Amino acid sequence: MLKEKVFLNQFTVAEQQVFELALDGYSGQEMQVILSKEETTIKAQRQNIIRKLGVSSMKEAVEKFQHLKYESPRKLIQP
């Protein structure tokens, strides 16, 4: 649980909401409806998550989160 909190704390509250929806398998369009946000806002937040995690896609970001239990806590925070 601590690893998950450390992982998510690198995101803004809005990015955390988008990421949590991504973890549940929602698409960008579904996120727009659920969060009542514009497409450009959701896209920007998704890109911020991807950049902060140093991955190339939201799918890869979700996979990284799902494999937390195997990672060292030092790997969680990007410099």
Side-chain angles (χ1 to χ4, degrees):
M1 189 66 173
L2 178 60
K3 286 183 185 181
E4 288 88 349
K5 285 186 179 187
V6 170
F7 187 92
L8 292 174
N9 278 341
Q10 61 191 313
F11 304 137
T12 65
V13 172
E15 290 165 355
Q16 286 179 24
Q17 291 173 333
V18 167
F19 191 71
E20 288 170 8
L21 289 173
L23 288 172
D24 289 338
Y26 289 99
S27 70
Q29 286 184 326
E30 292 169 321
M31 291 176 193
Q32 290 173 49
V33 173
I34 292 167
L35 298 173
S36 300
K37 293 185 178 181
E38 295 291 326
E39 178 182 6
T40 53
T41 302
I42 297 294
K43 282 184 178 181
Q45 290 166 339
R46 289 168 59 105
Q47 286 302 315
N48 287 341
I49 292 166
I50 290 167
R51 180 183 48 78
K52 287 178 179 181
L53 294 180
V55 295
S56 59
S57 68
M58 279 302 286
K59 180 181 178 189
E60 195 176 337
V62 167
E63 289 171 356
K64 187 171 186 171
F65 181 81
Q66 291 170 337
H67 291 99
L68 276 181
K69 60 185 166 190
Y70 305 111
E71 291 190 30
S72 162
R74 291 185 181 156
K75 289 184 178 180
L76 299 178
I77 301 173
Q78 300 290 325

